[in-house]
Amino acid sequence: MKYMIMLYGSQQDYDILSGKPGDQQPWRDEDVAAMHAFMEKWNNDLVESGEFVDAQGLSAPVHARRIELRDGVPVVTDGPYPETQEVLAGYTIVECDSFDRATEIAARLAGTPHPKDTELAHQWYVDVRPIMEGFGDLEA
């Protein structure tokens, strides 16, 4: 079965990682490198175990567009959206034997390094969801 592991972030997170000034100190180059090295190892471990399917990071929310219907007409709004604090920052798709295994893989992300002298901008979490393979998967 395939599972999607979804990682979340905010515009503030993207700004901190890219070194833009704001409410919190930007990450030092070595902190960003440590995070990238951790993620690279996490992905490589999945490739080696044969469980890796795909992974992609998404651009900052400032580059997003939201399309919604209003009175039957599509309305486009450029991001970021003030009412939305967190957005999908990236995902990894794994193929493994069970939901428990997918959860175990995702839980390893709790060890993602961040600067010791900074606080996270929001509570850390990831979501894990089975990928539907047919309409029968719509049932709860």
Side-chain angles (χ1 to χ4, degrees):
M1 179 108 191
K2 291 181 184 168
Y3 300 88
M4 180 178 276
I5 300 169
M6 294 166 279
L7 299 88
Y8 294 90
S10 67
Q11 183 64 49
Q12 181 181 6
D13 295 330
Y14 282 88
D15 290 346
I16 290 168
L17 284 169
S18 68
K20 290 183 181 176
D23 295 339
Q24 292 195 13
Q25 285 290 98
W27 285 28
R28 295 177 299 270
D29 289 344
E30 59 268 20
D31 295 322
V32 174
M35 184 192 68
H36 286 167
F38 176 91
M39 294 303 295
E40 183 177 354
K41 179 174 179 358
W42 185 75
N43 279 314
N44 287 339
D45 288 349
L46 293 172
V47 170
E48 288 175 17
S49 72
E51 296 168 308
F52 181 86
V53 176
D54 186 29
Q56 298 293 325
L58 300 174
S59 65
V62 71
H63 302 295
R65 287 190 175 154
R66 176 170 290 161
I67 299 95
E68 59 184 309
L69 282 180
R70 290 190 195 152
D71 298 322
V73 177
V75 176
V76 178
T77 305
D78 289 332
Y81 317 107
E83 69 278 5
T84 304
Q85 293 300 312
E86 295 176 2
V87 296
L88 185 63
Y91 67 88
T92 298
I93 297 175
V94 296
E95 186 166 10
C96 53
D97 294 333
S98 68
F99 205 171
D100 287 340
R101 175 62 183 146
T103 302
E104 179 183 311
I105 291 168
R108 287 185 49 211
L109 292 172
T112 303
H114 63 280
K116 295 188 185 328
D117 56 344
T118 61
E119 292 186 28
L120 297 175
H122 53 82
Q123 186 63 36
W124 179 91
Y125 67 93
V126 298
D127 287 339
V128 180
R129 292 173 58 185
I131 294 177
M132 292 184 358
E133 295 184 11
F135 290 113
D137 293 339
L138 288 173
E139 297 175 11

